[in-house]
Amino acid sequence: MKLNTDLIISRLSQKYTVDFVGIKTESLSIQKPEFIIDGTTALLKHHLYVNAEKKRSANLEYENETTVICYGNASEYQPVTNKGGLIIIKEDISPFEIMNELLEIFRFYETWELKVLNILQNEPNIEELMKVTYDIFESPLLLLDAQFQCISRIGYDEALPGYQSFEENNSKELSLSAMSTFFNNKDPMMNNRDIMLIEIMDLQFLAKNLFVNNEYAGSITVVYNELPYTSGQKILLSYFSEFLEKALEDTNSATSSDYNILRTIFSNIICGLPIESSLRNYVKSFKETQEFICLLGKLNNRFSQIPPEYVSRKLESIFPKSISFEYQSRVICFIDSSQFATNSESLHEYIKEHIFNLTNSIDIKVGLSDSFTNLYDARQYYNQANAAIVNGVIMNPEESIYYFTDYALIEMITSMQNAFPLELYFPSGLKALFEHDEHSKLSYVETLKTYLKCNMSVSKTAYELFVHRSTLLERLERIDKILGLDLQNPDVRLQIQILLRAIEIRDSVQTESK
């Protein structure tokens, strides 16, 4: 295995006092050391030399990224080159001792590389990869998958004994508090391919996102709780990430489960993509056999940095057999409701009870659709869940969970207005009643609304309006003349009731949204 300047310096610094002048080799390209022998004038690119004479030779010529081990103080050396670098050992020691130490450093990393390659050559074992790599970093390691669930952690719990990083009832599930802390200190973009050095709780974390087939597959993190971070470990983590990505690719390609098939089907339907012919029979098998509810989650701005993938994973752990994924920066979860209560009211209570902690912890607004059995209808029920949030936030902003059934009438009325204003549905007599009210302190519309609400009972209506029965009868007679409709006809009565309720809801929505 080849090394870079920082890895060599960090290992030498554990035993000697080391300075450096010149230009470092950043990539893993430095070869095993050799002595500068008599007559050497040209030092080759990516070679590591030990100056056996303990002095700087003025006639040496450096190629790009050449590294030389020298002795003394950095002040004794002029900038000898703009191509290579000098690692300066301050102690008065034998060049042969330095050579042996360098060879040991190379053997240390080569042994690790061989172990890793051997693990990958057989059946990839990610836990073994993490164990053999722990000694290389000498710091705790944490490996998460694409849903932010722990695949492996070595020395991590001991590094943070007073901090609950994982849920008490699930040792692989990151806690909400840990996620909030982490993403308040880090850009949550999962397409970042750079090494990230992060400081949280007075600790340093070195993190690298992992990708399989160009898609985000997780992350590997080094925690510096005792030993300090050294710059050479960036390239080392990047190198180790390549091995992890290979192991994850081999592990993930082993199966194509029902979960993955259902996830693909739901995702395609929501995105408006066609279903492949190989999956159509699978869709048919679900008709009339299972019921689903669409849960849609929208994070508020305060927690918008928490990745939707994490919320998806939390929902899948709360509701077994559910399918959850991100769509347009929101979280969709299709809950298999057939395994829970059959009564819709008790089902709503069950869902509310189980996601209360989630909605309370990360301030997420949740919309829930009605139940459905045909997978092809998934997009329509997604729209129901979305409508529940849109209308619920306006009408009841203090709530966090909204059921479409509670806002169906509001949605129907607001959707109706997209074609025509409500007033265009008014019979001429109803328009005349509203025109009367514009110029009168006495509202005939409110009287009519109360009369219909009381099932056209004069006594109940008079009681509700606090008026004498004879006064009400006179008022109803005037309303009847203006309205010009037969309220004894159930169809006419229903039409007027719907229109009056629609106006009431529209005015309420407009008031709440201001």
Side-chain angles (χ1 to χ4, degrees), residues 162-411:
Y163 185 67
Q164 186 184 342
S165 297
F166 296 88
E167 299 289 4
E168 293 181 359
N169 60 347
N170 189 341
S171 62
K172 292 187 175 183
E173 192 78 30
L174 274 179
S175 67
L176 287 169
S177 59
M179 286 296 294
S180 298
T181 301
F182 182 66
F183 284 103
N184 281 335
N185 291 272
K186 173 185 174 292
D187 183 348
M189 291 178 62
M190 298 301 106
N191 59 355
N192 189 342
R193 295 177 182 266
D194 298 328
I195 299 283
M196 296 166 282
L197 184 61
I198 309 153
E199 291 192 8
I200 305 175
M201 303 179 302
D202 298 324
L203 292 176
Q204 286 186 313
F205 296 78
L206 194 65
K208 175 75 170 66
N209 286 333
L210 305 173
F211 297 86
V212 173
N213 297 325
N214 214 32
E215 291 187 1
Y216 177 74
S219 65
I220 175 68
T221 302
V222 185
V223 184
Y224 296 98
N225 62 317
E226 293 182 356
L227 295 177
Y229 157 77
T230 58
S231 56
Q233 295 189 341
K234 274 192 175 184
I235 189 68
L236 198 60
L237 185 61
S238 181
Y239 188 46
F240 180 46
S241 297
E242 295 176 16
F243 295 127
L244 285 174
E245 288 169 344
K246 179 66 170 64
L248 288 172
E249 182 180 10
D250 292 344
T251 303
N252 293 341
S253 63
T255 59
S256 178
S257 63
D258 283 352
Y259 169 86
N260 292 326
I261 295 172
L262 263 180
R263 195 176 189 277
T264 299
I265 291 170
F266 275 127
S267 179
N268 284 5
I269 291 173
I270 293 298
C271 296
L273 300 175
I275 303 297
E276 295 180 9
S277 56
S278 59
L279 299 178
R280 288 173 191 163
N281 289 334
Y282 195 89
V283 174
K284 291 178 182 177
S285 69
F286 272 83
K287 289 184 179 180
E288 310 298 335
T289 60
Q290 284 182 262
E291 282 192 349
F292 293 93
I293 284 178
C294 179
L295 181 153
L296 179 63
K298 180 183 178 184
L299 284 163
N300 285 347
N301 291 335
R302 188 161 62 96
F303 288 90
S304 60
Q305 282 191 309
I306 292 181
E309 294 91 341
Y310 173 73
V311 182
S312 292
R313 184 66 193 88
K314 291 291 292 183
L315 289 170
E316 288 182 347
S317 66
I318 294 172
F319 302 108
K321 298 183 181 180
S322 61
I323 307 293
S324 187
F325 53 89
E326 177 196 359
Y327 176 68
Q328 295 182 345
S329 299
R330 296 181 175 192
V331 176
I332 299 176
C333 183
F334 287 99
I335 301 171
D336 182 356
S337 58
S338 57
Q339 61 182 315
F340 304 124
T342 54
N343 183 297
S344 61
E345 185 175 337
S346 57
L347 176 60
H348 286 178
E349 286 302 314
Y350 176 88
I351 293 174
K352 183 176 182 179
E353 177 186 343
H354 281 73
I355 62 174
F356 176 79
N357 289 336
L358 180 67
T359 57
N360 230 27
S361 301
I362 60 174
D363 196 14
I364 184 175
K365 298 292 187 182
V366 170
L368 289 154
S369 75
D370 295 334
S371 297
F372 66 97
T373 56
N374 188 339
L375 298 188
Y376 285 117
D377 292 336
R379 177 75 192 188
Q380 297 177 31
Y381 287 88
Y382 160 78
N383 290 335
Q384 274 195 355
N386 186 53
I389 293 179
V390 171
N391 294 299
V393 168
I394 293 173
M395 302 303 296
N396 299 291
E398 72 284 356
E399 299 290 334
S400 57
I401 303 172
Y402 307 106
Y403 302 98
F404 177 75
T405 50
D406 295 335
Y407 301 95
L409 183 57
I410 296 176
E411 178 60 21

Side-chain angles (χ1 to χ4, degrees), residues 431-491:
K431 288 180 183 179
L433 280 184
F434 275 94
E435 289 171 0
H436 166 274
D437 285 2
E438 289 177 2
H439 304 93
S440 174
K441 293 182 180 179
L442 178 62
S443 174
Y444 283 177
V445 171
E446 286 302 317
T447 301
L448 175 62
K449 192 186 300 182
T450 306
Y451 181 57
L452 294 174
K453 180 182 175 182
C454 294
N455 295 318
M456 298 197 300
S457 166
V458 175
S459 300
K460 290 181 180 179
T461 306
Y463 178 81
E464 288 290 328
L465 294 176
F466 301 103
V467 297
H468 195 274
R469 177 184 173 89
S470 60
T471 303
L472 176 62
L473 286 171
E474 291 176 5
R475 193 184 301 175
L476 288 174
E477 186 177 346
R478 290 194 294 270
I479 290 172
D480 186 59
K481 287 181 180 178
I482 297 173
L483 190 61
L485 297 173
D486 181 11
L487 293 179
Q488 298 300 322
N489 185 320
D491 291 337

Side-chain angles (χ1 to χ4, degrees), residues 16-220:
Y16 308 109
T17 307
V18 177
D19 272 344
F20 180 83
V21 294
I23 299 174
K24 291 182 178 180
T25 299
E26 301 290 344
S27 61
L28 293 176
S29 55
I30 297 179
Q31 301 180 29
K32 287 184 179 180
E34 55 191 284
F35 283 116
I36 299 176
I37 59 176
D38 291 340
T40 301
T41 58
L43 304 183
L44 303 178
K45 180 178 182 178
H46 295 155
H47 281 236
L48 174 62
Y49 295 95
V50 176
N51 187 349
E53 297 181 1
K54 290 192 176 184
K55 61 183 180 180
R56 177 172 60 81
S57 300
N59 60 343
L60 291 177
E61 295 180 4
Y62 289 72
E63 290 188 3
N64 287 330
E65 300 186 66
T66 301
T67 306
V68 179
I69 306 290
C70 297
Y71 309 89
N73 295 309
S75 59
E76 298 175 9
Y77 295 87
Q78 300 296 324
V80 295
T81 178
N82 60 359
K83 295 181 179 179
L86 300 176
I87 297 175
I88 303 166
I89 309 295
K90 292 188 175 182
E91 285 82 358
D92 184 17
I93 55 174
S94 161
F96 297 100
E97 179 182 338
I98 287 294
M99 175 61 77
N100 288 333
E101 188 65 33
L102 290 170
L103 290 172
E104 185 58 37
I105 290 171
F106 273 83
R107 276 194 293 271
F108 175 73
Y109 288 109
E110 282 177 346
T111 300
W112 166 72
E113 185 184 45
L114 287 172
K115 287 180 180 178
V116 168
L117 291 172
N118 185 54
I119 292 170
L120 289 175
Q121 189 173 5
N122 300 309
E123 185 176 346
N125 187 317
I126 291 176
E127 189 69 18
E128 285 301 313
L129 285 177
M130 295 284 282
K131 285 179 180 178
V132 300
T133 304
Y134 177 77
D135 292 335
I136 292 294
F137 287 96
E138 299 179 295
S139 294
L141 301 173
L142 172 65
L143 178 63
L144 302 178
D145 65 14
Q147 286 76 43
F148 302 94
Q149 189 172 22
C150 178
I151 299 175
S152 173
R153 60 184 188 267
I154 308 294
Y156 186 86
D157 296 333
E158 295 79 3
L160 301 170
Y163 185 67
Q164 186 184 342
S165 297
F166 296 88
E167 299 289 4
E168 293 181 359
N169 60 347
N170 189 341
S171 62
K172 292 187 175 183
E173 192 78 30
L174 274 179
S175 67
L176 287 169
S177 59
M179 286 296 294
S180 298
T181 301
F182 182 66
F183 284 103
N184 281 335
N185 291 272
K186 173 185 174 292
D187 183 348
M189 291 178 62
M190 298 301 106
N191 59 355
N192 189 342
R193 295 177 182 266
D194 298 328
I195 299 283
M196 296 166 282
L197 184 61
I198 309 153
E199 291 192 8
I200 305 175
M201 303 179 302
D202 298 324
L203 292 176
Q204 286 186 313
F205 296 78
L206 194 65
K208 175 75 170 66
N209 286 333
L210 305 173
F211 297 86
V212 173
N213 297 325
N214 214 32
E215 291 187 1
Y216 177 74
S219 65
I220 175 68

